Amino acid sequence: VSVDVGVAYHQPPNRVRSAILEAIEQVPLAMGTPSPDVQVLDFGSSAIVYRARCYVQDMERADLAQDQMRTAIWYTFQRQGLE
């Protein structure tokens, strides 16, 4: 499953990737293998857009996994001062 997230241009991509991967580690439905990944998807008008991806065992719970990913990313960004 994947979620897209926009992050301010002044945030270094490697820092953002690290924060998102840290967040995904907290997602109960995310599988550790294969490993999650983060890609730069787009340079938007006001943010760099990243795509975070992880595997889940049960695709019927994909929506819940995406919710868990977004929630974990938000809290991680808050703790790390990312916008």
Side-chain angles (χ1 to χ4, degrees):
V1 297
S2 66
V3 297
D4 297 344
V5 59
V7 180
Y9 270 97
H10 66 272
Q11 304 294 345
N14 287 341
R15 181 171 179 228
V16 174
R17 279 190 183 101
S18 177
I20 293 172
L21 290 171
E22 177 183 317
I24 293 173
E25 289 177 6
Q26 306 305 313
V27 173
L29 291 175
M31 296 171 55
T33 304
S35 299
D37 68 0
V38 180
Q39 302 170 336
V40 174
L41 183 64
D42 191 20
F43 292 108
S45 60
S46 61
I48 298 174
V49 180
Y50 295 83
R51 176 161 289 159
R53 301 184 308 173
C54 71
Y55 287 87
V56 296
Q57 288 186 352
D58 183 0
M59 283 305 292
E60 289 183 15
R61 301 183 78 194
D63 289 342
L64 178 57
Q66 289 172 316
D67 172 71
Q68 292 176 352
M69 290 172 69
R70 289 183 184 105
T71 300
I73 290 167
W74 187 90
Y75 280 107
T76 300
F77 281 13
Q78 292 299 303
R79 281 193 305 276
Q80 295 190 15
L82 295 168
E83 57 182 83

